[in-house]
Amino acid sequence: MAKETPREQTLVIIKPDGLSKSLTGNILTRLSETKLEIAAAKCLHVSRDLAEEHYTALRHKPFFEEVIKYIMGGYHPRKKVMAMVYVGPDAIQKVRAVTGATNPEEADSVTIRGQYGRITTKGVYENVIHASTSLEEAEREIKLWFEPDEIIYDLYLTKTVEVTVKKRVWTSSVSSPASKTVTPVSRPIIKKSKKIRT
Ligand code: IDP
Ligand code: MG
């Protein structure tokens, strides 16, 4: 009897060029070809700490500073990313297949990077999307980008800890039109009693 393909999870990030070029819909449509399920999604501003931790393996590469600036939105008007967790059989390989090669000029033209990516005159690979490459990388990245309660499934072991921190909440009053200004938020929302991954 054939073995069942293991259920996997993978981190996908639509990078600032994807959002600035309004490619979100196109990218999600391409990703839907994998028939995987989205288990978490959020838009966020990427702090330097998060960017450096995410790309820690590239610390000694000559293009490290450019990659950090790129993921933080330093080259684009929309300084944010959309982070998602996809789950399902063979999720890592399936998402990588539709993502395409790292170098957008070498990526197959039917892949997301081949279709929408470019190399800038400064040599930055604007390749539109990030996708985990292994089970270990996916676990490290998902735990870095998401808290357990932001994902609809318990993908990894968690424990509950008591912490006392300040947290922003909505006010009960209805906003007047004048106060409906849009202010970017980069602070994480921290709960008083929260699960953390072990
Ligand atoms: P991946 O995104 O295909 O997994 P990695 O080697 O993990 O490729 O590199 C992470 C990111 O760093 C790439 O997506 C790309 O934005 C950038 N990058 C990788 N190699 C180069 C390079 O040779 N020149 C410029 N940027 C690069
Ligand atoms: Mg990689």
Side-chain angles (χ1 to χ4, degrees), residues 15 54-55 57-58 61-64 66-67 70 96 99-104 113 119 123-133 137 141:
K15 296 179 180 180
H54 177 72
Y55 283 130
L58 303 179
K61 297 280 186 190
F63 52 84
F64 183 65
E66 284 75 24
V67 172
Y70 168 39
R96 281 300 294 199
T99 291
T102 305
N103 180 335
R113 286 171 168 177
I119 300 179
V124 179
Y125 286 13
E126 290 190 355
N127 55 12
V128 176
I129 185 172
H130 165 84
S132 310
T133 51
E137 192 177 276
E141 293 177 349

